[in-house]
Amino acid sequence: MREITLSHINHVLDDLEYPVTNERAAADLEDVTLLLADGQRNLSALIEQSESDRFESTDDLVTELHNVLPREAVGEPYQSEGEG
């Protein structure tokens, strides 16, 4: 099982061969846990939630992941936003 933060997601997604289908990306990344500010999620399950059938690039897949993540999940784990 691999664990990765959202800020380092490209390291894992760059290993896919693009274009890639939703199903293929989910299958290839089923062993990856994404560490988020509000906990952790299985990367494969997040990809399966996407409405896209195919991803043309890493950036395309990252954008789709941001669309399925709850807003509070986007901050880095164990870091506060600090004082405004």
Side-chain angles (χ1 to χ4, degrees), residues 8-73:
H8 293 105
I9 192 78
N10 285 26
H11 297 296
V12 174
L13 300 182
D14 285 342
D15 290 340
L16 296 174
E17 188 173 320
Y18 294 92
V20 65
T21 63
N22 181 309
E23 294 82 15
R24 183 63 191 185
D28 287 353
L29 299 170
E30 67 184 357
D31 69 328
V32 178
T33 299
L34 189 57
L35 303 174
L36 303 167
D38 71 337
Q40 56 187 356
R41 304 281 193 296
N42 178 270
L43 184 55
S44 178
L46 290 171
I47 292 170
E48 289 173 344
Q49 291 176 23
S50 168
E51 294 182 10
S52 291
D53 294 330
R54 177 179 159 126
F55 308 105
E56 300 298 325
S57 66
T58 300
D59 290 338
D60 191 22
L61 184 45
V62 168
T63 298
E64 277 300 312
L65 287 172
H66 281 281
N67 288 337
V68 298
L69 288 171
R71 180 180 303 189
E72 57 272 8

